Amino acid sequence: MENAIQLRACEAGDAAALALLGQATFLETFAGILDGADILAHCARQHDSALYRDWLADPAMRLWLAEVSPGGAPVGYLVLSPSTLPLDAPRAGDLEIKRIYLLHRFQGQRVGRRLMDAALQHARAAGAGRVLLGVYAENRAAQAFYLGCGFVQVGVRTFRVGATDYHDVILGIEL
């Protein structure tokens, strides 16, 4: 029997769950691909509870949480924000999916697509013309998911994880 997964908008008290889930999914996704020390340093800096508390308090940010039932354990999330991606021609009002992560055990159940749909629906309602995201250039599975959602490549960037620079592609979708 498959578990039921519910999506909900995040609340102020969700910072600890988001931080734990961010660390777990980043480690699960990149262990054996990126350097272990780099992963740990990245998680300590980029998946700290204080960062998520700040994001939850920022009215420009939107976060969604996927929870499994029974029990309500967090299994995935998405963060949508004003874009800070380095593009040659940024547009006023661009939004960025800063994070979309789902534990592997719950992939293949359309949860990622439901998170993406919630973010794109919100972006349209907010009047955004485009949503962007950065994805590790070697993460073919993630790129296939984004391309299947209608994203196309619009740029590249260097992304630091721990002490190492990696290459990302920047994808965008017109709304």
Side-chain angles (χ1 to χ4, degrees), residues 7-68:
L7 300 187
R8 68 171 176 84
C10 289
E11 302 167 350
D14 289 328
L18 289 163
L20 178 62
L21 187 55
Q23 291 175 14
T25 54
F26 196 86
L27 178 62
E28 182 181 56
T29 300
F30 293 109
I33 298 170
L34 306 182
D35 180 75
D38 285 346
I39 291 172
L40 295 175
H42 177 82
C43 285
R45 188 177 67 253
Q46 295 297 323
H47 293 286
D48 181 72
S49 290
L51 173 69
Y52 287 100
R53 272 194 302 278
D54 291 346
W55 284 356
L56 289 165
D58 185 340
M61 306 282 290
R62 292 289 182 269
L63 295 86
W64 290 266
L65 195 58
E67 297 173 321
V68 66

Side-chain angles (χ1 to χ4, degrees), residues 85-153:
L85 289 167
L87 289 177
D88 291 337
R91 299 181 195 165
D94 278 349
L95 294 179
E96 175 186 349
I97 295 174
K98 284 203 175 292
R99 306 254 166 64
I100 179 171
Y101 287 117
L102 181 64
L103 292 170
H104 283 118
R105 178 176 162 203
F106 297 94
Q107 291 178 5
Q109 299 178 35
R110 299 197 46 81
V111 179
R113 185 59 196 229
R114 289 172 52 208
L115 285 164
M116 182 65 74
D117 288 346
L120 296 177
Q121 180 180 357
H122 173 81
R124 284 185 191 95
R130 180 171 67 169
V131 173
L132 304 165
L133 58 86
V135 59
Y136 178 45
E138 301 302 317
N139 190 341
R140 303 292 181 224
Q143 288 181 51
F145 169 74
Y146 301 133
L147 295 173
C149 290
F151 284 79
V152 297
Q153 186 171 342

